[in-house]
Amino acid sequence: MHLSVIILNYNVRYFLEQCVLSVQEALAAIDGEVIVVDNNSDDDSCQMMKNRFPEVKLIQNKENSGFPKGNNLGVEQAKGKYICILNPDTVVSEDTFSKILAFAEKQDNLGIIGCKLIDGTGNFLPESKRGIPTPWVAFTKIFGLYKVFPNQRLFNQYYAQHLKENQTGKVDILVGAFMVMKRDLYLEIGGFDEDCFMYADDIDLSYSVLQKQKNNYYFHETSVIHYKGESTVKDGRYMKRFQEAMEFFYEKHFRKSLFFLVVIKIGILFFSVVKMLQGKPKANPLPESYIFFSSNEILCEQLCSVLKNKVAFLDLKKEKMVNSCLVSKNKRVEVILDNQYISFKKCIEILETLKHKRVTFKILPKSTHFIIGSDSKNERGKMVKIK
């Protein structure tokens, strides 16, 4: 078997369904398997998997064993030469795995391959590629110096800004939402460290691979949607988690840094004050109009009823291309994409093409009765049932 895709799930039943659908499409021409590990969800994730995807291997944990252990359990049962660690709140293109595996086969001393991640509004996620978070690099991240001096190597290493968004190349650290590597290498380094704190598991795995003299790569030729499962607002709680993660990483691989501890304490105080002054985040305003890209006009009528708003119908039998002139960016617009007629790859391309602060997106996954997406990288995402 060539590829095993490991998806660790916890209480994101609808995102999981869409993710597995996209993965199955991407594995159509590949000798591969999907393994879903559920960390004791209390929604109906497992029942959905049994009903809709009986062919998918499902591992049901009786407790929430955490990200590292859950993925390690999945890899233990994987049969593929390669494995892909994949978040359930992702959507892959139909050609994502074929492109990644073709690239992998050409590399010597292969470590981990990551790809171009975008959020639910089509914007690039800079954590797709990162550098080793030494105390100095962490300092430039905490105080935003990487934004002020994006072209200066002294300040731009946290998000590996030596590589552009659309440039493939070697990087040090990749994000755990999407990682492809050889299963043998994963097992050789012991997989994810089960003692790891939040925010450090993927850093630790990436660095452990580098220690084996392997090369990690950022691969830009395929884009994957990553709906951000947890708010990325940089408040005091976030900074506390960041501190715990970095302390774990330093204690394991380096010596503890007094410089970093002082900086992080200042950072926690700074962001706590900023958060207090900002107050509660404002809710995103509702769309002023909706456009449904489909060939099913009856579904459009159902959406009008559910959304309690007029939904413009764009018949894909007549409109061969979805272009920016069809979407007015002078008012808030929500674009709804019918996956029955639009491939996941095309959905992703539309997000990247039409991205704008006034445009939001939802996908209607094929053979489902819900639309799903995210209006901001700072929120968990939204699902609306059609029936």
Side-chain angles (χ1 to χ4, degrees):
M1 184 172 289
H2 208 43
L3 177 66
S4 298
V5 181
I6 317 297
I7 305 171
L8 179 65
N9 176 70
Y10 180 67
N11 284 340
V12 287
R13 173 251 190 269
Y14 293 99
F15 283 103
L16 175 65
E17 183 172 357
Q18 179 177 234
C19 177
V20 175
L21 278 170
S22 73
V23 168
Q24 287 190 327
E25 296 283 341
L27 289 176
I30 296 172
D31 181 16
E33 64 177 349
V34 184
I35 299 174
V36 172
V37 182
D38 185 80
N39 260 348
N40 198 30
S41 297
D42 54 21
D43 60 10
D44 66 338
S45 293
C46 292
Q47 194 57 52
M48 179 277 295
M49 288 299 305
K50 292 173 184 177
N51 293 341
R52 175 133 202 210
F53 306 105
E55 71 283 3
V56 170
K57 186 174 187 60
L58 175 64
I59 301 172
Q60 293 181 249
N61 289 334
K62 294 183 179 180
E63 61 180 5
N64 187 343
S65 56
F67 183 86
K69 187 173 182 179
N71 278 298
N72 289 346
L73 286 171
V75 175
E76 281 178 12
Q77 299 195 30
K79 300 176 182 177
K81 174 184 176 183
Y82 292 92
I83 58 166
C84 175
I85 303 297
L86 187 68
N87 268 28
D89 58 343
T90 57
V91 179
V92 301
S93 296
E94 285 78 2
D95 59 359
T96 289
F97 296 133
S98 59
K99 283 185 173 181
I100 291 275
L101 291 174
F103 177 79
E105 292 289 285
K106 296 176 182 177
Q107 308 309 315
D108 296 323
N109 296 320
L110 178 67
I112 306 172
I113 304 174
C115 71
K116 181 180 178 181
L117 298 175
I118 62 171
D119 65 19
T121 63
N123 289 295
F124 175 66
L125 292 171
E127 61 265 31
S128 301
K129 51 183 180 66
R130 290 175 289 175
I132 299 170
T134 63
W136 169 253
V137 172
F139 176 84
T140 65
K141 155 70 171 170
I142 293 168
F143 291 97
L145 297 178
Y146 68 94
K147 296 179 182 178
V148 181
F149 306 102
N151 298 317
Q152 299 294 321
R153 177 167 173 75
L154 183 62
F155 301 102
N156 70 4
Q157 296 175 59
Y158 189 86
Y159 288 125
Q161 287 163 283
H162 68 285
L163 282 181
K164 293 182 171 58
E165 172 186 336
N166 294 316
Q167 181 183 5
T168 294
K170 294 179 183 179
V171 294
D172 293 324
I173 308 297
L174 296 161
V175 65
F178 184 99
M179 287 178 155
V180 172
M181 62 189 300
K182 289 182 178 178
R183 180 174 180 268
D184 287 348
L185 177 59
Y186 185 95
L187 296 176
E188 181 183 344
I189 62 177
F192 286 110
D193 190 324
E194 295 180 13
D195 293 327
C196 236
F197 290 94
M198 179 180 277
Y199 292 117
D201 34 44
D202 50 6
I203 297 173
D204 175 66
L205 186 74
S206 298
Y207 188 76
S208 297
V209 167
L210 294 178
Q211 295 299 97
K212 293 287 184 180
Q213 306 302 312
K214 302 293 184 181
N215 298 317
N216 295 333
Y217 291 92
Y218 166 72
F219 182 75
H220 84 279
E221 294 180 32
T222 185
S223 296
V224 169
I225 300 173
H226 180 208
Y227 300 107
K228 303 285 286 186
E230 178 158 347
S231 173
T232 55
V233 175
K234 306 302 188 291
D235 57 12
R237 184 172 57 179
Y238 167 89
M239 293 300 297
K240 182 66 175 175
R241 290 171 178 166
F242 187 80
Q243 175 189 3
E244 291 172 346
M246 293 303 98
E247 285 181 348
F248 174 89
F249 181 69
Y250 297 151
E251 287 178 0
K252 180 174 179 179
H253 297 287
F254 303 100
R255 61 183 178 85
K256 211 164 185 177
S257 167
L258 179 61
F259 170 75
F260 175 77
L261 292 177
V262 172
V263 167
I264 200 72
K265 293 296 183 185
I266 297 173
I268 290 172
L269 177 62
F270 172 74
F271 283 107
S272 296
V273 171
V274 170
K275 184 68 176 176
M276 180 180 65
L277 294 175
Q278 287 177 338
K280 293 183 178 179
K282 296 179 181 179
N284 289 321
L286 293 174
E288 298 173 81
S289 64
Y290 295 84
I291 303 176
F292 184 43
F293 295 117
S294 179
S295 292
N296 189 331
E297 198 162 0
I298 296 175
L299 267 179
C300 187
E301 295 172 2
Q302 292 176 349
L303 283 169
C304 290
S305 176
V306 170
L307 298 172
K308 295 180 173 55
N309 203 320
K310 183 177 179 181
V311 179
F313 178 63
L314 190 145
D315 191 344
L316 292 174
K317 292 178 180 176
K318 299 176 182 178
E319 288 283 352
K320 300 298 183 183
M321 296 293 291
V322 177
N323 56 64
S324 57
C325 67
L326 298 172
V327 179
S328 171
K329 295 177 182 177
N330 295 320
K331 58 183 179 179
R332 295 185 297 277
V333 180
E334 179 145 292
V335 174
I336 304 171
L337 305 167
D338 189 348
N339 177 231
Q340 191 68 44
Y341 305 96
I342 307 173
S343 68
F344 283 114
K345 180 178 180 178
K346 187 62 179 177
C347 287
I348 293 170
E349 289 176 356
I350 291 171
L351 262 66
E352 293 187 286
T353 301
L354 301 185
K355 63 183 176 185
H356 188 275
K357 64 181 179 180
R358 289 182 172 269
V359 181
T360 56
F361 302 91
K362 298 291 182 294
I363 296 176
L364 170 60
K366 64 176 61 176
S367 304
T368 67
H369 302 291
F370 61 87
I371 58 175
I372 194 165
S374 176
D375 298 345
S376 166
K377 67 179 181 180
N378 293 329
E379 63 178 37
R380 287 183 176 276
K382 297 179 180 177
M383 184 280 300
V384 177
K385 292 185 178 180
I386 299 175
K387 293 183 181 179

